[in-house]
């Protein structure tokens, strides 16, 4: 068994530890030795505090928590902003925990921060809760006046495993009980800090936004429009979206079963833009999750209920997280930073029970600020770093770093959310712009088909035919005999049969001057596929409606040379 200084290989792990964990252990021990040689002997407590809070609320405490929470808020509500400055332990807590768990953890974090500051009520509360709900651990810990790192680890063993939450809880309670920790406990703080970083990285990865694939929402929205129009053509309203309304009846019955209104899902959604958009979003998620999957409109109608229910769930969770911070009076972002609420509590003509404390108005505010800075220093030794100003400066820099990390995480979340919304909006705008171009082209086609006005009276049809013969045009659709006739007159043009829509090759349209759809012989599915390709390539397009070749030549000449 190799030894580095006073530490053994089994210092952090029991027998049977794998090589990777062993190397990590030795790395922490070496880092601690180097820190000590450099005089850096005041470990950061953020990791230990994080795991303290992760494991402090027991199942029994959950049942009693409303009483605990109420008593804490009655005593400390006016001090919550000060408590909140000590540390913010988890950026995405409201996303990977239930709203109830997130609220309990947030309130307990404030109470623990108050205890770290030395607030008498908070210290008494945390000690009482530890004695009441962690009785076995309390009975062991109360015998200590001094404690070693090995003893902390021994108390935190759960069979062959070491409990991070138990280590964090023991270290935190030792500070509150005044139990002196030996210098090797600094390695435990380093270990928990590194573990917290890993957990945070996993949480951030698990809660990262997954965007639709490029162009997926636009494609799905077009397909939904086709399905939608097909459904709308059905004469009996009851036959429209049959699958959706059948499931909707079941959803409504479930909600009423639990005593909620049938439309509760719709009420909870923040961005409900109607059934057609919900179909498109749900379909886009399906195509993004299963790119090679084939889905019918009935499938989309069914999954739209799941999509909407989950959208309502996360919207409620997000809103609860924001309102929770506002309710607690801490730095929650209830409004955008550039928005100002109309409500001003200082203008309320009523005595204030909890006056707002500011650095300018509260005596001793600078002292309180120093208390916040020093609350995250682990008392495991002072060495050469015993100067008060030096310790305060270390804590201040750590606090600023932690604040910036939390701010950066929040900004990354806002950026991801904005990027997702921007992408969705751009794809929908792209689709609607394509629809606008189609409407303009159809309107011009309808006008030219009925107006009967010769815009080029001095030019013969033969001259027009010669002018357009060398253009790179594509004709989609048309009866086979009509196409054969045109191929002889315009051998340089491309003629695409309707059957080709099942495997549209976008490359065949590259470099073309214009694409024409023959409306008299063109099914809806083929049109949808080809128009999507034309939109994507940004190729000018138009419509042909007559088999009369002279009329077709005039129309094409007008559109190609009129501009």
């Amino acid at each position: 068994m190799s030894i580095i200084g006073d530490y053994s290989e089994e210092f952090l792990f029991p027998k049977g530890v794998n090589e990777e964990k062993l190397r990590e252990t030795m790395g922490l021990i070496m880092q601690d030795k180097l820190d000590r040689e450099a005089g850096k002997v005041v470990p950061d407590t953020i990791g230990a505090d994080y795991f303290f809070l992760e494991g402090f609320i027991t199942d029994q405490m959950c049942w009693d928590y409303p009483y605990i929470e109420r008593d804490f808020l009655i005593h400390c509500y006016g001090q919550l902003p000060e408590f909140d400055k000590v540390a913010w332990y988890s950026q995405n807590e409201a996303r990977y925990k239930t709203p109830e768990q997130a609220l309990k953890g947030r309130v307990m974090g404030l109470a623990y921060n108050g205890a770290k500051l030395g607030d008498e009520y908070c210290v008494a509360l945390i000690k009482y809760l530890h004695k009441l709900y962690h009785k076995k651990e309390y009975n062991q810990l109360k015998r200590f006046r001094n404690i070693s790192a090995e003893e902390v680890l021994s108390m935190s063993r759960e069979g062959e495993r070491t409990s991070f939450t138990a280590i964090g809880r023991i270290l935190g309670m030792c500070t509150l009980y005044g139990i002196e920790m030996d210098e090797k406990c600094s390695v435990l703080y380093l270990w928990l800090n590194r573990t917290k970083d890993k957990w945070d990285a996993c949480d951030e990865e698990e809660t990262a936004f997954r965007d639709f694939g490029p162009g997926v929402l636009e494609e799905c929205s077009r397909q939904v429009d086709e399905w939608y129009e097909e459904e709308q053509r059905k004469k009996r309203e009851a036959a429209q979206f049959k699958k959706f309304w059948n499931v909707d009846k079941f959803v409504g019955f479930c909600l009423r079963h639990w005593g909620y209104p049938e439309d509760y899902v719709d009420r909870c959604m923040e961005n409900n833009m109607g059934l057609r958009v919900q179909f498109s979003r749900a379909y886009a998620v399906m195509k993004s999750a299963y790119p090679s999957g084939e889905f019918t409109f009935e499938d989309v109608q069914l999954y739209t209920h799941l999509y909407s229910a989950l959208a309502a769930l996360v919207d409620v969770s997000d809103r609860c997280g924001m309102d929770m911070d506002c309710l607690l009076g801490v730095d929650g972002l209830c409004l955008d930073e550039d928005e100002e609420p109309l409500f001003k509590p200082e203008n309320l003509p009523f005595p204030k029970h909890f006056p707002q404390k500011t650095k300018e108005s509260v005596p001793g505010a600078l002292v309180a600020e120093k208390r916040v800075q020093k609350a995250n220093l682990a008392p495991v030794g002072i060495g050469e770093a015993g100067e008060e100003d030096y310790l305060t400066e270390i804590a201040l820099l750590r606090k600023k770093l932690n604040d910036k990390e939390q701010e950066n995480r929040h900004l990354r979340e806002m950026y991801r959310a904005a990027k997702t919304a921007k992408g969705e909006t751009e794809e929908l705008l792209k689709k609607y712009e394509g629809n606008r171009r189609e409407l303009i082209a159809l309107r011009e086609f309808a006008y030219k088909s009925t107006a009967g006005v010769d815009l080029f009276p001095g030019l013969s049809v033969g001259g027009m035919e010669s002018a357009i013969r060398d253009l790179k045009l594509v004709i989609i659709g048309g009866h086979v005999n009509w196409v054969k006739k045109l191929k002889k007159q315009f051998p340089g043009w491309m003629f695409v049969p309707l059957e080709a829509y099942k495997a549209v090759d976008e490359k065949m349209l590259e470099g073309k001057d214009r694409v024409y759809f023959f409306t008299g012989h063109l099914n809806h599915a083929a049109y949808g596929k080809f128009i999507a390709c034309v939109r994507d390539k940004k190729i000018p397009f138009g419509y042909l409606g007559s088999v009369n070749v002279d009329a077709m030549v005039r129309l094409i000449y007008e559109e190609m040379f009129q501009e």
Side-chain angles (χ1 to χ4, degrees):
M1 179 173 63
S2 63
I3 294 182
I4 300 179
D6 296 328
Y7 305 99
S8 70
E9 293 175 353
E10 299 177 1
F11 176 63
L12 296 181
F13 300 100
K15 294 181 179 179
V17 61
N18 61 46
E19 291 186 7
E20 181 180 354
K21 288 186 176 181
L22 184 58
R23 285 195 298 270
E24 182 178 353
T25 302
M26 295 299 102
L28 290 172
I29 293 173
M30 286 298 299
Q31 180 182 338
D32 180 60
K33 289 176 67 65
L34 292 173
D35 286 346
R36 289 184 178 281
E37 291 174 2
K40 301 176 183 178
V41 292
V42 194
D44 189 355
T45 66
I46 186 67
D49 297 337
Y50 170 83
F51 286 108
F52 178 100
L53 294 169
E54 283 291 307
F56 193 71
I57 300 176
T58 65
D59 293 339
Q60 181 60 50
M61 196 188 299
C62 279
W63 287 106
D64 300 341
Y65 206 79
Y67 303 99
I68 301 169
E69 185 177 55
R70 181 177 63 185
D71 196 68
F72 167 68
L73 293 177
I74 288 173
H75 283 86
C76 299
Y77 189 82
Q79 299 168 268
L80 296 186
E82 181 184 354
F83 295 169
D84 187 57
K85 292 179 182 178
V86 174
W88 189 11
Y89 301 104
S90 182
Q91 174 68 26
N92 290 331
E93 192 171 42
R95 290 196 173 180
Y96 58 82
K97 292 185 178 180
T98 67
E100 177 192 12
Q101 291 173 334
L103 175 59
K104 287 180 170 62
R106 193 76 168 98
V107 173
M108 184 56 68
L110 291 169
Y112 182 58
N113 283 354
K116 286 165 65 67
L117 287 177
D119 180 84
E120 292 183 3
Y121 172 84
C122 293
V123 171
L125 175 65
I126 298 297
K127 286 182 177 180
Y128 177 61
L129 295 177
H130 185 251
K131 179 179 180 180
L132 196 60
Y133 298 102
H134 298 274
K135 193 170 185 178
K136 180 180 178 181
E137 185 177 275
Y138 165 77
N139 287 333
Q140 291 179 305
L141 202 55
K142 70 179 183 180
R143 301 196 301 264
F144 289 91
R145 293 294 177 268
N146 302 281
I147 193 168
S148 67
E150 285 84 355
E151 288 168 329
V152 172
L153 287 172
S154 178
M155 290 180 61
S156 63
R157 300 282 193 220
E158 295 179 355
E160 292 297 312
R161 303 181 64 183
T162 301
S163 170
F164 298 121
T165 56
I167 295 176
R169 190 172 57 245
I170 292 169
L171 292 176
M173 294 312 303
C174 283
T175 302
L176 296 181
Y177 288 138
I179 299 173
E180 185 177 344
M181 292 177 276
D182 74 0
E183 292 185 348
K184 285 196 293 183
C185 286
S186 59
V187 179
L188 300 181
Y189 284 98
L190 292 175
W191 187 32
L192 295 184
N193 287 347
R194 180 172 295 183
T195 305
K196 177 186 180 296
D197 290 340
K198 292 180 180 179
W199 285 32
D200 283 343
C202 289
D203 290 337
E204 189 167 353
E205 181 179 353
E206 290 177 356
T207 57
F209 288 87
R210 283 187 176 177
D211 298 330
F212 301 131
V216 171
L217 181 60
E218 182 189 2
E219 176 189 346
C220 292
S221 181
R222 274 197 304 269
Q223 180 61 66
V224 167
D225 282 347
E226 293 179 14
W227 285 333
Y228 210 92
E229 292 165 8
E230 184 178 344
E231 290 283 318
Q232 294 285 38
R233 285 194 295 270
K234 295 179 180 178
K235 294 182 178 179
R236 293 185 299 112
E237 185 177 350
Q240 296 176 13
F241 317 123
K242 185 176 180 180
K243 189 75 171 182
F244 179 85
W245 295 119
N246 283 343
V247 178
D248 188 71
K249 182 178 180 180
F250 173 76
V251 171
F253 191 92
C254 288
L255 290 167
R256 289 296 301 274
H257 174 69
W258 290 308
Y260 284 76
E262 294 180 357
D263 63 342
Y264 189 68
V265 170
D266 295 329
R267 298 186 189 192
C268 290
M269 274 194 293
E270 292 279 343
N271 191 25
N272 187 354
M273 298 176 64
L275 191 55
R276 188 188 296 234
V277 174
Q278 286 301 100
F279 283 154
S280 300
R281 289 169 172 165
Y283 190 29
V285 172
M286 295 163 69
K287 293 294 289 184
S288 298
Y290 309 102
S292 59
E294 295 291 335
F295 303 101
T296 65
F297 191 33
E298 286 72 21
D299 296 330
V300 174
Q301 292 178 60
L302 174 62
Y303 278 89
T304 295
H305 278 291
L306 286 174
Y307 178 87
S308 298
L310 294 172
L313 174 66
V314 298
D315 284 344
V316 167
S317 180
D318 286 345
R319 194 73 234 177
C320 282
M322 296 169 65
D323 289 349
M324 176 177 66
D325 282 349
C326 287
L327 183 64
L328 295 176
V330 296
D331 296 336
L333 297 175
C334 295
L335 299 173
D336 293 336
E337 293 182 355
D338 58 348
E339 292 185 9
E340 281 291 332
L342 295 177
F343 176 75
K344 304 291 184 183
E346 61 271 17
N347 296 334
L348 183 65
F350 195 79
K352 308 297 188 297
H353 291 288
F354 302 109
Q356 297 294 318
K357 297 181 180 180
T358 63
K359 290 184 180 180
E360 291 75 16
S361 61
V362 180
L366 293 177
V367 176
E369 184 67 21
K370 284 189 175 183
R371 289 199 303 157
V372 170
Q373 294 168 8
K374 291 187 64 177
N376 298 308
L377 297 175
V380 297
I382 54 174
E384 298 177 5
E387 293 293 333
E388 182 71 17
D389 291 340
Y390 177 55
L391 295 177
T392 301
E393 183 67 16
I394 292 175
L396 176 61
L397 293 174
R398 286 176 179 166
K399 180 65 173 60
K400 287 182 177 179
L401 178 61
N402 182 56
D403 288 344
K404 288 299 180 184
E405 288 175 351
Q406 298 289 359
E407 181 181 352
N408 287 339
R409 287 182 183 177
H410 175 70
L411 291 174
R412 285 199 300 271
E413 291 299 319
M414 291 182 64
Y415 171 75
R416 289 174 183 149
K419 182 181 177 183
T420 300
K422 179 175 179 288
E424 182 177 330
T425 302
E426 286 179 347
E427 290 203 26
L428 290 175
L429 285 175
K430 184 179 178 182
K431 179 204 141 187
Y432 292 133
E433 175 60 24
N435 289 344
R436 190 180 72 85
R437 290 173 57 203
E438 285 181 60
L439 289 174
I440 292 173
L442 284 169
R443 184 180 63 190
E444 292 177 351
F445 168 68
Y447 170 75
K448 293 172 182 176
S449 299
T450 58
V453 178
D454 191 354
L455 298 179
F456 303 93
L459 188 63
S460 66
V461 173
M464 295 180 185
E465 183 178 330
S466 299
I468 66 174
R469 180 175 287 111
D470 295 331
L471 295 175
K472 298 178 181 179
L473 301 182
V474 179
I475 309 296
I476 298 176
H479 191 273
V480 61
N481 293 330
W482 180 74
V483 170
K484 286 181 180 179
K485 183 178 179 180
L486 288 181
K487 281 184 176 180
K488 294 179 180 180
Q489 290 183 248
F490 304 98
W493 292 6
M494 177 183 291
F495 297 89
V496 181
L498 294 180
E499 296 76 16
Y501 85 92
K502 295 181 180 179
V504 176
D505 183 5
E506 296 184 357
K507 293 182 179 180
M508 69 182 183
L509 301 181
E510 290 181 354
K512 304 303 180 184
D513 295 320
R514 201 175 191 91
V515 173
Y516 281 96
F517 296 92
F518 186 77
T519 59
H521 194 77
L522 183 67
N523 64 56
H524 194 76
Y527 174 73
K529 290 283 188 178
F530 283 115
I531 194 65
C533 182
V534 168
R535 286 176 182 169
D536 186 58
K537 296 293 183 181
K538 294 182 173 57
I539 303 172
F541 62 93
Y543 300 92
L544 303 174
S546 174
V547 294
N548 185 286
V549 177
D550 288 350
M552 181 204 71
V553 168
R554 285 179 175 276
L555 188 147
I556 293 177
Y557 185 87
E558 290 172 6
E559 291 189 346
M560 296 301 299
F561 295 103
Q562 175 182 352
E563 301 173 359

